[in-house]
């Protein structure tokens, strides 16, 4: 394994960050991303206190991703907070296009090895897959929503008020014309950002059918995003 540091670019990009601060309150700030890389960035201009290990959402234009806070510099009330963040595994790089453009102007582009996530049998895709979330016993409140990303094994749902880790759920969705219901459990809870859910009751054939439908939706989404004249 090479010990060479990953390529970083000294730019200044206006981004939005959101999540739950260490004070227990949700936040949404317009800040700047600097010293960007394919794996993370330094964010400057936050007003909400954070701590290492917090998960926050970062948005550049229409592109969103979840990041983990690695370090925090809080100079006090006189100045705003800066943090270093790394993209969570499997999340797309929001500033990938900006990095490629800057690199093409200054130096040959650096190829990055694909993430391990893409090598899995059920890779996650960023498609808005409709699901219904209920308590496992089927009583109480329920949520009709769409995934932020999903695979045959689980999904991530963006919500300001995620359910706690270990919460047992019942998830319902459609595979073509078949209504599928499966037990599920909350595996990650990121306050102010969302929650990761594992589908615990699907057999392998159903997981594969779900993955096929997800791949189809992802391919259709990529096609629809192409502008006239693009190959």
């Amino acid at each position: 394994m090479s010990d060479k540091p990953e390529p970083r670019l000294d730019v200044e990009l206006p981004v939005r960050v959101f999540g739950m601060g260490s004070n227990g309150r949700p936040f949404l700030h317009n800040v700047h991303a600097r010293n960007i890389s394919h794996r993370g960035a330094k964010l400057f201009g936050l007003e909400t206190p954070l701590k290492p290990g917090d998960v926050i959402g970062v948005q550049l234009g229409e592109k969103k991703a979840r990041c983990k806070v690695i370090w925090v510099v809080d100079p006090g009330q006189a100045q705003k907070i800066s943090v270093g963040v790394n993209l969570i595994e499997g999340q797309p790089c929001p500033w990938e296009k900006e990095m490629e453009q800057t690199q093409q102007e200054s130096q040959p582009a650096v190829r990055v090895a694909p993430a391990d996530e893409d090598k899995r049998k059920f890779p996650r895709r960023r498609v808005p897959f409709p699901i219904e979330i209920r308590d496992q016993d089927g009583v109480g409140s329920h949520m009709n929503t769409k995934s932020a990303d999903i695979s045959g094994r689980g999904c991530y749902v963006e919500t300001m008020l995620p359910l706690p880790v270990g919460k047992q759920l019942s998830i319902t969705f459609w595979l073509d014309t078949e209504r599928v219901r499966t037990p599920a459990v909350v595996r990650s809870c990121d306050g102010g950002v969302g929650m990761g859910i594992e589908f615990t009751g699907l057999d392998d054939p159903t997981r594969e059918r779900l993955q096929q439908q997800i791949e189809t939706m992802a391919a259709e989404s990529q096609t629809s995003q192409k502008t006239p004249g693009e190959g």
Side-chain angles (χ1 to χ4, degrees):
M1 179 179 294
S2 174
D3 292 329
K4 293 178 61 178
E6 61 175 336
R8 286 186 171 271
L9 296 178
D10 188 12
V11 296
E12 185 160 325
L13 299 175
V15 299
R16 301 179 74 185
V17 295
F18 54 94
M20 191 75 70
S22 58
N23 56 6
R25 297 179 180 177
F27 68 88
L28 173 63
H29 296 317
N30 293 315
V31 303
H32 287 91
R34 303 173 186 168
N35 199 230
I36 61 174
S37 75
H38 292 283
R39 296 182 181 177
K42 296 180 181 179
L43 306 179
F44 295 82
L46 282 85
E47 300 176 4
T48 298
L50 296 172
K51 62 182 184 300
D54 285 345
V55 174
I56 62 174
V58 178
Q59 180 173 0
L60 175 61
E62 297 298 318
K63 298 180 180 179
K64 293 191 293 185
R66 300 188 299 278
C67 299
K68 179 173 289 187
V69 176
I70 305 303
W71 53 260
V72 178
V73 175
D74 187 348
Q77 296 182 353
Q79 300 183 45
K80 295 185 178 181
I81 301 167
S82 59
V83 301
V85 298
N86 281 350
L87 292 167
I88 291 177
E89 181 183 3
Q91 291 292 291
C93 179
W95 37 80
E96 184 76 32
K97 182 178 180 181
E98 286 74 15
M99 287 197 66
E100 291 178 354
Q101 289 177 342
T102 306
Q103 287 174 331
Q104 288 172 0
E105 294 171 358
S106 60
Q107 60 185 14
V110 178
R111 294 187 60 85
V112 178
D116 291 341
E117 186 79 9
D118 292 332
K119 300 177 182 178
R120 298 179 181 176
K121 185 177 181 180
F122 300 102
R124 286 185 178 268
R125 304 299 184 196
R126 292 185 66 83
V127 296
F129 195 92
I131 61 173
E132 180 184 282
I133 302 174
R134 290 181 178 269
D135 289 341
Q136 191 176 51
D137 54 15
V139 300
S141 61
H142 70 280
M143 179 190 306
N144 290 311
T145 186
K146 294 182 179 180
S147 64
D149 54 62
I150 187 170
S151 75
R153 294 192 176 278
C155 67
Y156 194 93
V157 174
E158 293 180 342
T159 173
M160 292 290 291
L161 299 173
L163 298 171
V165 171
K167 176 70 174 177
Q168 299 294 318
L169 303 173
S170 175
I171 303 293
T172 302
F173 56 84
W174 289 86
L175 285 180
D176 296 324
T177 60
E178 179 185 354
R179 189 169 185 265
V180 177
R181 183 177 178 181
T182 176
V185 62
V186 177
R187 293 299 189 191
S188 63
C189 173
D190 307 317
V193 181
M195 57 185 173
I197 299 172
E198 179 186 357
F199 306 144
T200 56
L202 298 182
D203 57 24
D204 284 344
T206 305
R207 291 185 191 277
E208 291 172 359
R209 288 177 57 204
L210 174 57
Q211 189 70 37
Q212 289 175 359
Q213 188 161 316
I214 293 165
E215 298 292 347
T216 299
M217 292 177 65
E220 291 174 349
S221 176
Q222 290 180 352
T223 300
S224 66
Q225 290 175 3
K226 288 186 176 180
T227 58
E230 289 184 336

